[in-house]
Amino acid sequence: GSTLGSLLSDEDINSVISFLKDFVVKRLIPHLENRIRYFNHHISSTRKGMRNQFKNYWFRKEKDNSLAVNGEPAYGPQSIEFQIRHLGDLSFMMKDFELALSSYRLVSNDFKSDKAWKNYGGSMEMAGLCIVMMKGSQREAETCLDSAFSAYQRHGKDWKLTVRSLLVLSEVLVASDRPREAIGALKAAIIDNNHLRAALLLEQAAYLYILSPKPLFRKFAFHMALAGRHYSTCGNHNLSAQAYTLVLAVHSKHNWPFIDEHMHFSLGKESKQIENTPLALQCWMRLLVAIYQPANVQQQYLDEFLKLSEAVQAGNKSNMLPLLLPNVDVENVYVHFDDFRCFSAGAYAQSEQVWSRLDERVIPPAILSGQNWLQADLSSSKDYLNLCGAQEEIGVDVEFANVLQVTIKVQDVHLDCSYSATDIKGFQSSSAEDVEVKHEQFTLLPLEKTLIRLRVSVKKPGMLRINGVRWLLCGIAYGAQEFDIRGPKRKKVGEGEPHRDHPPHRRLLFEVLPTIPRIQATFSEFPENMYAGEICKCGLTIENTGAAPLHAMRIVSTNNSLIFGKFILAQEESLIDFDQQSVETVNSGGVYSLPEDFTLNPGAKMQCSVWIYTTQVGNVGMHSAFYFQPKQSHAKMKFRVLHCTQHVQVFPSIQLSGEMLLSEVSTKQLVLHTKIRNCNTQDTFFVEKLVESNGTHDLNVICARSDDSNTHRVNPKEQTAIFIEADEKGAAGKLDGSMQGLNLAGESMLGLEPCVLRSLKESLRLSTPEAQAGGMKFPLLASWHTNSRVTAREHSGVIGMNFLMKGQDKPVHMTVSYPQRIVHNFGGDAVCMVPCTISIFNASQQSIQGTLNLDNAVHNTKPSWTMPKGSGQGPNDESMESEGSDLSGCPSYCWCGKLVHKFYDVQPWETKEVAATVCIFAPGCYEVDAFRLQWSFSNANFSQNELEGTKFCLNVSDGRL
C-alpha cells in the first residue's frame, strides 16, 4: 500500500538524479548530435546543391503505391523524405530552429508534389512554429500555418490536425495583439458536428473578446452561451453550468428580461442534471417574475420552484430565500408610530400644516421651555431615531404585488426585527420575550396589489431595529426581503448608526421609552351631512388605553368648530381618582382645559357632548387635538398630543352681507343695510329672528318681506335686503339672554348647555378677516330653519356676520339732542333756558382730543325766525311789526354756562357727551349752529382739525296764550 518511491532514502534519490544527469549529458545528447550530423551530411550530399536539385527533379523515382494510406503516399524509414523530416524534428528538439526550418521547407516541396497532404500540412505547421520560435516574420508564420490548415482540410480524414493548426494560428495572432483575427481562426475550426470541440473553440473565442483593447462583454456572453449549449448537447453539464453562470454575470447589469429568463431556465436545467439543487432553486426563483409568459407557463415555473424549495428548505425557517414573489416594495414604506404626537384613523392623511397650527394652540408655552413645539421633546434624541413607548404598536405599511397571472397565497407575513436592551451597538435577533410580532396572511389574485400594515410591539424599554419582512409562499417556500429605503447619505456615521438620513415616517430605528399613557378619542353619532351654520350634536368618548395615568388635558379644534361640554366619568370606582363624577371644562380662546388635579387612570373612560358648528361649505374636515401629560413624565417625552379628524358634508345655506351707517340723529343709533342671500339651489330658508349677539342694542326692522308667521322667506338662489335700526340699550344685556330668545328648532333635542351658549361667539365664527383688523363691529345673528330636500328632515341653525362702519372719511361725528317743542311763559320769565346735549363720537381707529367751543357773543349769533305779525305770540308785537318776516331784526339767542369744553383721550368708537344750554328771549323758531369742535389725534401734536356744528331748530312758543 506504499506509494511509488516512498522506500527510497535521500541518498537513493540523489543517486538517481546524478545518474540521469550523467546519462543525458554524456550519452543522450551526444548521440542525438551525431544523428543530426549524419542525416545532415547524407541529405546535403543527395538533395542540397544545384546538381542534386536538378537530379531530383528529372530523375525522381516513382513511389510504391503499396505503402499508400487513405490514398496518400507513405514514406518508409529508408526514404529520403522520411530522413529529412526526421532531421527537422531532431533539430527542432535540440532548438536548432534554422536547420529545422530549412529541413521542413525542403521536404514540404516533395510532399506537395506527391500530394501527401497530411505530411505537407505537418511540415508547414512545424515550419510556422520554427519561425515563431525564432521570432521571425509574423506574416511568414501565418502563411505557413494557413498552408497547413488548407492541407489538412484537403486531407479531410483527421480533423484533430486541422483544429490543432488553427489553435496554433490563433495563438500566434493573439501574441501579435490581433485577437479579433484569432477569433475568426477559432470559428473556422468548427468544421464538423463534434459538440465538445465546438464548445471548446467557442469558449476560447469568448475569452478573446474580453482580451481585446476594448473588451466586448456582450459578445463574450453570446459566444459563452453558445459554448454552454454545445457542452450541454455533448453531456458535459458541469462545464455547461459554468458557462451559463458566466453569461448571467454579464447580463445581470442589464434589464433584458427575455435573455435573463432563457439563461436562468437553461442554468436551472443544467443544475438539476448535476444535482446542484441550491443553484437550481436560485434559477427557478428568478423565473417567478417572468411576467410576459402566459399563465400556464408561469404556473409551471411556480410548481417547479415549490418542488425545489421543499427539497432544499424542508420547512426550515432559518434558511430564508430572497423571494421575488410577491414583489415587495422595499424602498417605499410608511411607518406608523406614536411619539409625542399620536394620530387616530384618517389623521395621517392630513397635511402637517393643519396639525402644526393646532399644536401651537394646545401645547402650553411653559412646557416648551423657550423652544418651539417641534424641538421641545426631540432635542435630546438622535435625528436618526424615532421615539415610542413600551407595549405600544408600531405599524409599517408594506406594498405586496402579484406580478403573475396566477393566484398565490401568502402566509405568515411578519416583520424581521432586532432588539437591544442597552444601546445601538448591541442588536441581536429579537425573541418573544422582548418583542411581540403580529403575523398576517392574504391571497393575491392575478396582477393584484395590496397594502398591508405589519405590526410589532416592544414589551420593555430598549432599542428596536426593523430589518425587513418575512413570509411563507403557498405554504412551502420561506422568503425574506430587507428594507432598502433611499435617502441622502449622512456625513458622520457612528457604530451601529444608519448610513442614510430618513424622515420620521421612514425611519426603522426606535428608542423604546418606559410605559407612557395613550388616549383613544371616539366620536359617536357624528353627522354625515349638515348645513352651514347648523348646530349638530354628537358624543365623544375618551379612554386611557395606555398603562400609565395622565392629567392636565387640553382640547382644541380647527376654527373652534367643536364645542365641548362637561365630561362624565366612567362608573368603575377603581378607575376614578377624582372626587366628582363630572368634570367641567374651562374655555379660554377656544382651548378647553380640564382641572390640573384631574387624573385619568389606565382603562378609565369619560364622555361628553360635542356641538358642531361651521360655516364652511363642502367636504369639511373637523380636526381636533387632545393634549395631556403623564403623571410621571420622561425627559424625552413630557407630553403627548392626540390628533383626530372627522369629515362632514356641509351644504350651503344663507349668507349675510351689508354695511353699517351711523345715524345723523344720534350717535347711539346705527342703521344696518343687511342683505340675506340663499346660496342653496334647492332648499328654501326661513329667517326667524335677528339678534345682536352682544345684547347692547334693540333692533327694529324698517322694511322686510315677511309672512304670517313673522319669518322672512328666502327662496333658492334669491337675495333679499332689509334695513335695521339698532338703538343702544340703557342697560346692556348678556349673550345668554339674547340667545335664549332664538327660536332654534329642536333646541331641547340638541341639549344646549350653558357652555355652548358661552362659546357661541367664538365657535359660530362671526368674526371676518376685515373685522379682526379692528374698528367698530356690530355682530348680528340670524336664526333660520329649512325643510331639506336632500335629507328629508328639518334643519335649523344660526348664521352671523360682523358689520363694519361704512365710510371712514369722517373720523369724528357730532350730534345734538334737544327738545322738539318748548313752551315758556315769557311774561313770568323773560329768558327761556333750553337744555341740550352735544354728543361727540370718535369713529376713527385712534384716540382723539380737542375742544368744543360755544359761540356766546350776542352780536355774533345767528338771527332767528320770528312769529308772524299779529299772531300775539311775542311780548312786543308792535316792535316786531316793522320787521315783518325779515330775519335781521329778530331777537337773538346765546349759549349760557360753560362755553369751552376740553376733553382728552376719547377712545375709538367712544361717545363724549357735553351738556349745554341755549338762552331764548322771545318765542319763535330758532336755527342754532353757533358751536364748533377743534380736535386732533392724541398721538399728533400739531395736526388740528375743525368740525362745524350741525344746524338744529328750536321751536319756542309763549305759554301765556
Side-chain angles (χ1 to χ4, degrees), residues 99-118:
L99 178 59
L101 177 61
S102 62
S103 301
Y104 291 137
R105 284 179 173 175
L106 180 62
V107 75
S108 64
N109 295 326
D110 295 341
F111 292 152
K112 186 176 182 180
S113 302
D114 298 338
K115 297 183 179 181
W117 303 116
K118 180 179 180 180

mmCIF file with all atom_site columns, all heavy atoms in Angstrom, residues 99-118:
data_model
loop_
_atom_site.group_PDB
_atom_site.id
_atom_site.type_symbol
_atom_site.label_atom_id
_atom_site.label_alt_id
_atom_site.label_comp_id
_atom_site.label_asym_id
_atom_site.label_entity_id
_atom_site.label_seq_id
_atom_site.pdbx_PDB_ins_code
_atom_site.Cartn_x
_atom_site.Cartn_y
_atom_site.Cartn_z
_atom_site.occupancy
_atom_site.B_iso_or_equiv
_atom_site.pdbx_formal_charge
_atom_site.auth_seq_id
_atom_site.auth_comp_id
_atom_site.auth_asym_id
_atom_site.auth_atom_id
_atom_site.pdbx_PDB_model_num
ATOM 1   N N   . LEU A 1 99  ? 18.141 25.060 -38.810 1.00 0.00 ? 99  LEU A N   1
ATOM 2   C CA  . LEU A 1 99  ? 18.290 23.791 -39.519 1.00 0.00 ? 99  LEU A CA  1
ATOM 3   C C   . LEU A 1 99  ? 16.945 23.082 -39.648 1.00 0.00 ? 99  LEU A C   1
ATOM 4   O O   . LEU A 1 99  ? 16.638 22.501 -40.699 1.00 0.00 ? 99  LEU A O   1
ATOM 5   C CB  . LEU A 1 99  ? 19.290 22.899 -38.774 1.00 0.00 ? 99  LEU A CB  1
ATOM 6   C CG  . LEU A 1 99  ? 19.540 21.506 -39.361 1.00 0.00 ? 99  LEU A CG  1
ATOM 7   C CD1 . LEU A 1 99  ? 20.071 21.617 -40.806 1.00 0.00 ? 99  LEU A CD1 1
ATOM 8   C CD2 . LEU A 1 99  ? 20.508 20.716 -38.491 1.00 0.00 ? 99  LEU A CD2 1
ATOM 9   N N   . ALA A 1 100 ? 16.136 23.188 -38.603 1.00 0.00 ? 100 ALA A N   1
ATOM 10  C CA  . ALA A 1 100 ? 14.824 22.553 -38.657 1.00 0.00 ? 100 ALA A CA  1
ATOM 11  C C   . ALA A 1 100 ? 13.959 23.216 -39.720 1.00 0.00 ? 100 ALA A C   1
ATOM 12  O O   . ALA A 1 100 ? 13.262 22.535 -40.485 1.00 0.00 ? 100 ALA A O   1
ATOM 13  C CB  . ALA A 1 100 ? 14.156 22.628 -37.291 1.00 0.00 ? 100 ALA A CB  1
ATOM 14  N N   . LEU A 1 101 ? 13.983 24.560 -39.799 1.00 0.00 ? 101 LEU A N   1
ATOM 15  C CA  . LEU A 1 101 ? 13.158 25.259 -40.779 1.00 0.00 ? 101 LEU A CA  1
ATOM 16  C C   . LEU A 1 101 ? 13.582 24.910 -42.195 1.00 0.00 ? 101 LEU A C   1
ATOM 17  O O   . LEU A 1 101 ? 12.733 24.678 -43.072 1.00 0.00 ? 101 LEU A O   1
ATOM 18  C CB  . LEU A 1 101 ? 13.271 26.775 -40.542 1.00 0.00 ? 101 LEU A CB  1
ATOM 19  C CG  . LEU A 1 101 ? 12.516 27.673 -41.528 1.00 0.00 ? 101 LEU A CG  1
ATOM 20  C CD1 . LEU A 1 101 ? 11.020 27.391 -41.498 1.00 0.00 ? 101 LEU A CD1 1
ATOM 21  C CD2 . LEU A 1 101 ? 12.786 29.156 -41.235 1.00 0.00 ? 101 LEU A CD2 1
ATOM 22  N N   . SER A 1 102 ? 14.907 24.844 -42.446 1.00 0.00 ? 102 SER A N   1
ATOM 23  C CA  . SER A 1 102 ? 15.373 24.500 -43.801 1.00 0.00 ? 102 SER A CA  1
ATOM 24  C C   . SER A 1 102 ? 14.988 23.069 -44.164 1.00 0.00 ? 102 SER A C   1
ATOM 25  O O   . SER A 1 102 ? 14.617 22.775 -45.308 1.00 0.00 ? 102 SER A O   1
ATOM 26  C CB  . SER A 1 102 ? 16.886 24.684 -43.882 1.00 0.00 ? 102 SER A CB  1
ATOM 27  O OG  . SER A 1 102 ? 17.547 23.809 -42.975 1.00 0.00 ? 102 SER A OG  1
ATOM 28  N N   . SER A 1 103 ? 14.998 22.170 -43.198 1.00 0.00 ? 103 SER A N   1
ATOM 29  C CA  . SER A 1 103 ? 14.616 20.781 -43.450 1.00 0.00 ? 103 SER A CA  1
ATOM 30  C C   . SER A 1 103 ? 13.125 20.682 -43.776 1.00 0.00 ? 103 SER A C   1
ATOM 31  O O   . SER A 1 103 ? 12.719 19.985 -44.722 1.00 0.00 ? 103 SER A O   1
ATOM 32  C CB  . SER A 1 103 ? 14.959 19.913 -42.248 1.00 0.00 ? 103 SER A CB  1
ATOM 33  O OG  . SER A 1 103 ? 16.345 19.953 -41.962 1.00 0.00 ? 103 SER A OG  1
ATOM 34  N N   . TYR A 1 104 ? 12.275 21.393 -43.015 1.00 0.00 ? 104 TYR A N   1
ATOM 35  C CA  . TYR A 1 104 ? 10.829 21.346 -43.255 1.00 0.00 ? 104 TYR A CA  1
ATOM 36  C C   . TYR A 1 104 ? 10.474 21.958 -44.614 1.00 0.00 ? 104 TYR A C   1
ATOM 37  O O   . TYR A 1 104 ? 9.594  21.446 -45.323 1.00 0.00 ? 104 TYR A O   1
ATOM 38  C CB  . TYR A 1 104 ? 10.073 22.076 -42.144 1.00 0.00 ? 104 TYR A CB  1
ATOM 39  C CG  . TYR A 1 104 ? 10.112 21.369 -40.796 1.00 0.00 ? 104 TYR A CG  1
ATOM 40  C CD1 . TYR A 1 104 ? 10.321 22.090 -39.605 1.00 0.00 ? 104 TYR A CD1 1
ATOM 41  C CD2 . TYR A 1 104 ? 9.959  19.989 -40.715 1.00 0.00 ? 104 TYR A CD2 1
ATOM 42  C CE1 . TYR A 1 104 ? 10.361 21.453 -38.383 1.00 0.00 ? 104 TYR A CE1 1
ATOM 43  C CE2 . TYR A 1 104 ? 10.012 19.342 -39.490 1.00 0.00 ? 104 TYR A CE2 1
ATOM 44  C CZ  . TYR A 1 104 ? 10.207 20.069 -38.329 1.00 0.00 ? 104 TYR A CZ  1
ATOM 45  O OH  . TYR A 1 104 ? 10.245 19.437 -37.124 1.00 0.00 ? 104 TYR A OH  1
ATOM 46  N N   . ARG A 1 105 ? 11.131 23.023 -44.945 1.00 0.00 ? 105 ARG A N   1
ATOM 47  C CA  . ARG A 1 105 ? 10.854 23.629 -46.248 1.00 0.00 ? 105 ARG A CA  1
ATOM 48  C C   . ARG A 1 105 ? 11.331 22.719 -47.387 1.00 0.00 ? 105 ARG A C   1
ATOM 49  O O   . ARG A 1 105 ? 10.679 22.656 -48.441 1.00 0.00 ? 105 ARG A O   1
ATOM 50  C CB  . ARG A 1 105 ? 11.546 24.985 -46.332 1.00 0.00 ? 105 ARG A CB  1
ATOM 51  C CG  . ARG A 1 105 ? 10.834 26.069 -45.530 1.00 0.00 ? 105 ARG A CG  1
ATOM 52  C CD  . ARG A 1 105 ? 11.578 27.386 -45.634 1.00 0.00 ? 105 ARG A CD  1
ATOM 53  N NE  . ARG A 1 105 ? 10.820 28.464 -45.019 1.00 0.00 ? 105 ARG A NE  1
ATOM 54  C CZ  . ARG A 1 105 ? 11.275 29.705 -44.884 1.00 0.00 ? 105 ARG A CZ  1
ATOM 55  N NH1 . ARG A 1 105 ? 12.526 30.005 -45.312 1.00 0.00 ? 105 ARG A NH1 1
ATOM 56  N NH2 . ARG A 1 105 ? 10.531 30.638 -44.328 1.00 0.00 ? 105 ARG A NH2 1
ATOM 57  N N   . LEU A 1 106 ? 12.456 22.049 -47.173 1.00 0.00 ? 106 LEU A N   1
ATOM 58  C CA  . LEU A 1 106 ? 12.992 21.162 -48.212 1.00 0.00 ? 106 LEU A CA  1
ATOM 59  C C   . LEU A 1 106 ? 12.051 19.988 -48.479 1.00 0.00 ? 106 LEU A C   1
ATOM 60  O O   . LEU A 1 106 ? 11.755 19.652 -49.632 1.00 0.00 ? 106 LEU A O   1
ATOM 61  C CB  . LEU A 1 106 ? 14.376 20.658 -47.801 1.00 0.00 ? 106 LEU A CB  1
ATOM 62  C CG  . LEU A 1 106 ? 15.084 19.715 -48.769 1.00 0.00 ? 106 LEU A CG  1
ATOM 63  C CD1 . LEU A 1 106 ? 15.352 20.416 -50.116 1.00 0.00 ? 106 LEU A CD1 1
ATOM 64  C CD2 . LEU A 1 106 ? 16.394 19.208 -48.177 1.00 0.00 ? 106 LEU A CD2 1
ATOM 65  N N   . VAL A 1 107 ? 11.555 19.406 -47.406 1.00 0.00 ? 107 VAL A N   1
ATOM 66  C CA  . VAL A 1 107 ? 10.721 18.226 -47.597 1.00 0.00 ? 107 VAL A CA  1
ATOM 67  C C   . VAL A 1 107 ? 9.288  18.593 -47.965 1.00 0.00 ? 107 VAL A C   1
ATOM 68  O O   . VAL A 1 107 ? 8.559  17.768 -48.527 1.00 0.00 ? 107 VAL A O   1
ATOM 69  C CB  . VAL A 1 107 ? 10.771 17.352 -46.328 1.00 0.00 ? 107 VAL A CB  1
ATOM 70  C CG1 . VAL A 1 107 ? 9.925  17.977 -45.220 1.00 0.00 ? 107 VAL A CG1 1
ATOM 71  C CG2 . VAL A 1 107 ? 10.306 15.928 -46.624 1.00 0.00 ? 107 VAL A CG2 1
ATOM 72  N N   . SER A 1 108 ? 8.863  19.831 -47.651 1.00 0.00 ? 108 SER A N   1
ATOM 73  C CA  . SER A 1 108 ? 7.474  20.193 -47.940 1.00 0.00 ? 108 SER A CA  1
ATOM 74  C C   . SER A 1 108 ? 7.202  20.203 -49.437 1.00 0.00 ? 108 SER A C   1
ATOM 75  O O   . SER A 1 108 ? 6.087  19.885 -49.872 1.00 0.00 ? 108 SER A O   1
ATOM 76  C CB  . SER A 1 108 ? 7.161  21.559 -47.326 1.00 0.00 ? 108 SER A CB  1
ATOM 77  O OG  . SER A 1 108 ? 7.958  22.570 -47.931 1.00 0.00 ? 108 SER A OG  1
ATOM 78  N N   . ASN A 1 109 ? 8.225  20.545 -50.230 1.00 0.00 ? 109 ASN A N   1
ATOM 79  C CA  . ASN A 1 109 ? 8.010  20.560 -51.670 1.00 0.00 ? 109 ASN A CA  1
ATOM 80  C C   . ASN A 1 109 ? 7.759  19.148 -52.197 1.00 0.00 ? 109 ASN A C   1
ATOM 81  O O   . ASN A 1 109 ? 6.937  18.938 -53.095 1.00 0.00 ? 109 ASN A O   1
ATOM 82  C CB  . ASN A 1 109 ? 9.220  21.184 -52.369 1.00 0.00 ? 109 ASN A CB  1
ATOM 83  C CG  . ASN A 1 109 ? 9.388  22.645 -52.001 1.00 0.00 ? 109 ASN A CG  1
ATOM 84  O OD1 . ASN A 1 109 ? 8.402  23.344 -51.794 1.00 0.00 ? 109 ASN A OD1 1
ATOM 85  N ND2 . ASN A 1 109 ? 10.628 23.103 -51.925 1.00 0.00 ? 109 ASN A ND2 1
ATOM 86  N N   . ASP A 1 110 ? 8.502  18.162 -51.652 1.00 0.00 ? 110 ASP A N   1
ATOM 87  C CA  . ASP A 1 110 ? 8.272  16.777 -52.065 1.00 0.00 ? 110 ASP A CA  1
ATOM 88  C C   . ASP A 1 110 ? 6.879  16.304 -51.667 1.00 0.00 ? 110 ASP A C   1
ATOM 89  O O   . ASP A 1 110 ? 6.189  15.639 -52.456 1.00 0.00 ? 110 ASP A O   1
ATOM 90  C CB  . ASP A 1 110 ? 9.329  15.871 -51.433 1.00 0.00 ? 110 ASP A CB  1
ATOM 91  C CG  . ASP A 1 110 ? 10.740 16.186 -51.938 1.00 0.00 ? 110 ASP A CG  1
ATOM 92  O OD1 . ASP A 1 110 ? 10.843 16.831 -52.999 1.00 0.00 ? 110 ASP A OD1 1
ATOM 93  O OD2 . ASP A 1 110 ? 11.700 15.845 -51.241 1.00 0.00 ? 110 ASP A OD2 1
ATOM 94  N N   . PHE A 1 111 ? 6.454  16.651 -50.448 1.00 0.00 ? 111 PHE A N   1
ATOM 95  C CA  . PHE A 1 111 ? 5.107  16.237 -50.014 1.00 0.00 ? 111 PHE A CA  1
ATOM 96  C C   . PHE A 1 111 ? 4.017  16.869 -50.867 1.00 0.00 ? 111 PHE A C   1
ATOM 97  O O   . PHE A 1 111 ? 3.024  16.233 -51.196 1.00 0.00 ? 111 PHE A O   1
ATOM 98  C CB  . PHE A 1 111 ? 4.885  16.617 -48.544 1.00 0.00 ? 111 PHE A CB  1
ATOM 99  C CG  . PHE A 1 111 ? 5.738  15.841 -47.573 1.00 0.00 ? 111 PHE A CG  1
ATOM 100 C CD1 . PHE A 1 111 ? 6.122  16.390 -46.347 1.00 0.00 ? 111 PHE A CD1 1
ATOM 101 C CD2 . PHE A 1 111 ? 6.171  14.558 -47.887 1.00 0.00 ? 111 PHE A CD2 1
ATOM 102 C CE1 . PHE A 1 111 ? 6.900  15.680 -45.460 1.00 0.00 ? 111 PHE A CE1 1
ATOM 103 C CE2 . PHE A 1 111 ? 6.963  13.831 -46.984 1.00 0.00 ? 111 PHE A CE2 1
ATOM 104 C CZ  . PHE A 1 111 ? 7.323  14.403 -45.776 1.00 0.00 ? 111 PHE A CZ  1
ATOM 105 N N   . LYS A 1 112 ? 4.291  18.100 -51.263 1.00 0.00 ? 112 LYS A N   1
ATOM 106 C CA  . LYS A 1 112 ? 3.280  18.778 -52.073 1.00 0.00 ? 112 LYS A CA  1
ATOM 107 C C   . LYS A 1 112 ? 3.218  18.165 -53.464 1.00 0.00 ? 112 LYS A C   1
ATOM 108 O O   . LYS A 1 112 ? 2.136  18.020 -54.047 1.00 0.00 ? 112 LYS A O   1
ATOM 109 C CB  . LYS A 1 112 ? 3.606  20.279 -52.150 1.00 0.00 ? 112 LYS A CB  1
ATOM 110 C CG  . LYS A 1 112 ? 2.535  21.092 -52.844 1.00 0.00 ? 112 LYS A CG  1
ATOM 111 C CD  . LYS A 1 112 ? 2.896  22.578 -52.785 1.00 0.00 ? 112 LYS A CD  1
ATOM 112 C CE  . LYS A 1 112 ? 1.819  23.418 -53.431 1.00 0.00 ? 112 LYS A CE  1
ATOM 113 N NZ  . LYS A 1 112 ? 2.136  24.862 -53.395 1.00 0.00 ? 112 LYS A NZ  1
ATOM 114 N N   . SER A 1 113 ? 4.411  17.808 -54.031 1.00 0.00 ? 113 SER A N   1
ATOM 115 C CA  . SER A 1 113 ? 4.433  17.183 -55.371 1.00 0.00 ? 113 SER A CA  1
ATOM 116 C C   . SER A 1 113 ? 3.779  15.815 -55.344 1.00 0.00 ? 113 SER A C   1
ATOM 117 O O   . SER A 1 113 ? 3.091  15.424 -56.297 1.00 0.00 ? 113 SER A O   1
ATOM 118 C CB  . SER A 1 113 ? 5.874  17.080 -55.871 1.00 0.00 ? 113 SER A CB  1
ATOM 119 O OG  . SER A 1 113 ? 6.484  18.339 -55.929 1.00 0.00 ? 113 SER A OG  1
ATOM 120 N N   . ASP A 1 114 ? 3.979  15.098 -54.253 1.00 0.00 ? 114 ASP A N   1
ATOM 121 C CA  . ASP A 1 114 ? 3.386  13.773 -54.135 1.00 0.00 ? 114 ASP A CA  1
ATOM 122 C C   . ASP A 1 114 ? 1.926  13.815 -53.665 1.00 0.00 ? 114 ASP A C   1
ATOM 123 O O   . ASP A 1 114 ? 1.297  12.751 -53.513 1.00 0.00 ? 114 ASP A O   1
ATOM 124 C CB  . ASP A 1 114 ? 4.196  12.922 -53.163 1.00 0.00 ? 114 ASP A CB  1
ATOM 125 C CG  . ASP A 1 114 ? 5.617  12.710 -53.664 1.00 0.00 ? 114 ASP A CG  1
ATOM 126 O OD1 . ASP A 1 114 ? 5.837  12.840 -54.883 1.00 0.00 ? 114 ASP A OD1 1
ATOM 127 O OD2 . ASP A 1 114 ? 6.502  12.440 -52.818 1.00 0.00 ? 114 ASP A OD2 1
ATOM 128 N N   . LYS A 1 115 ? 1.404  15.035 -53.393 1.00 0.00 ? 115 LYS A N   1
ATOM 129 C CA  . LYS A 1 115 ? 0.034  15.203 -52.881 1.00 0.00 ? 115 LYS A CA  1
ATOM 130 C C   . LYS A 1 115 ? -0.183 14.424 -51.589 1.00 0.00 ? 115 LYS A C   1
ATOM 131 O O   . LYS A 1 115 ? -1.246 13.888 -51.324 1.00 0.00 ? 115 LYS A O   1
ATOM 132 C CB  . LYS A 1 115 ? -0.994 14.776 -53.921 1.00 0.00 ? 115 LYS A CB  1
ATOM 133 C CG  . LYS A 1 115 ? -0.954 15.636 -55.185 1.00 0.00 ? 115 LYS A CG  1
ATOM 134 C CD  . LYS A 1 115 ? -2.027 15.228 -56.176 1.00 0.00 ? 115 LYS A CD  1
ATOM 135 C CE  . LYS A 1 115 ? -2.001 16.100 -57.418 1.00 0.00 ? 115 LYS A CE  1
ATOM 136 N NZ  . LYS A 1 115 ? -3.056 15.728 -58.392 1.00 0.00 ? 115 LYS A NZ  1
ATOM 137 N N   . ALA A 1 116 ? 0.870  14.416 -50.806 1.00 0.00 ? 116 ALA A N   1
ATOM 138 C CA  . ALA A 1 116 ? 0.769  13.836 -49.466 1.00 0.00 ? 116 ALA A CA  1
ATOM 139 C C   . ALA A 1 116 ? 0.375  14.980 -48.508 1.00 0.00 ? 116 ALA A C   1
ATOM 140 O O   . ALA A 1 116 ? 1.208  15.592 -47.846 1.00 0.00 ? 116 ALA A O   1
ATOM 141 C CB  . ALA A 1 116 ? 2.075  13.200 -49.059 1.00 0.00 ? 116 ALA A CB  1
ATOM 142 N N   . TRP A 1 117 ? -0.937 15.271 -48.516 1.00 0.00 ? 117 TRP A N   1
ATOM 143 C CA  . TRP A 1 117 ? -1.415 16.493 -47.848 1.00 0.00 ? 117 TRP A CA  1
ATOM 144 C C   . TRP A 1 117 ? -1.248 16.437 -46.330 1.00 0.00 ? 117 TRP A C   1
ATOM 145 O O   . TRP A 1 117 ? -0.975 17.456 -45.697 1.00 0.00 ? 117 TRP A O   1
ATOM 146 C CB  . TRP A 1 117 ? -2.877 16.744 -48.196 1.00 0.00 ? 117 TRP A CB  1
ATOM 147 C CG  . TRP A 1 117 ? -3.114 16.855 -49.665 1.00 0.00 ? 117 TRP A CG  1
ATOM 148 C CD1 . TRP A 1 117 ? -3.847 16.045 -50.469 1.00 0.00 ? 117 TRP A CD1 1
ATOM 149 C CD2 . TRP A 1 117 ? -2.573 17.862 -50.509 1.00 0.00 ? 117 TRP A CD2 1
ATOM 150 N NE1 . TRP A 1 117 ? -3.823 16.466 -51.768 1.00 0.00 ? 117 TRP A NE1 1
ATOM 151 C CE2 . TRP A 1 117 ? -3.031 17.603 -51.824 1.00 0.00 ? 117 TRP A CE2 1
ATOM 152 C CE3 . TRP A 1 117 ? -1.717 18.963 -50.327 1.00 0.00 ? 117 TRP A CE3 1
ATOM 153 C CZ2 . TRP A 1 117 ? -2.696 18.382 -52.918 1.00 0.00 ? 117 TRP A CZ2 1
ATOM 154 C CZ3 . TRP A 1 117 ? -1.396 19.747 -51.427 1.00 0.00 ? 117 TRP A CZ3 1
ATOM 155 C CH2 . TRP A 1 117 ? -1.883 19.461 -52.697 1.00 0.00 ? 117 TRP A CH2 1
ATOM 156 N N   . LYS A 1 118 ? -1.391 15.307 -45.768 1.00 0.00 ? 118 LYS A N   1
ATOM 157 C CA  . LYS A 1 118 ? -1.232 15.215 -44.321 1.00 0.00 ? 118 LYS A CA  1
ATOM 158 C C   . LYS A 1 118 ? 0.201  15.516 -43.928 1.00 0.00 ? 118 LYS A C   1
ATOM 159 O O   . LYS A 1 118 ? 0.453  16.274 -42.974 1.00 0.00 ? 118 LYS A O   1
ATOM 160 C CB  . LYS A 1 118 ? -1.637 13.836 -43.847 1.00 0.00 ? 118 LYS A CB  1
ATOM 161 C CG  . LYS A 1 118 ? -1.500 13.624 -42.352 1.00 0.00 ? 118 LYS A CG  1
ATOM 162 C CD  . LYS A 1 118 ? -1.957 12.223 -41.977 1.00 0.00 ? 118 LYS A CD  1
ATOM 163 C CE  . LYS A 1 118 ? -1.825 12.007 -40.469 1.00 0.00 ? 118 LYS A CE  1
ATOM 164 N NZ  . LYS A 1 118 ? -2.267 10.660 -40.067 1.00 0.00 ? 118 LYS A NZ  1
#
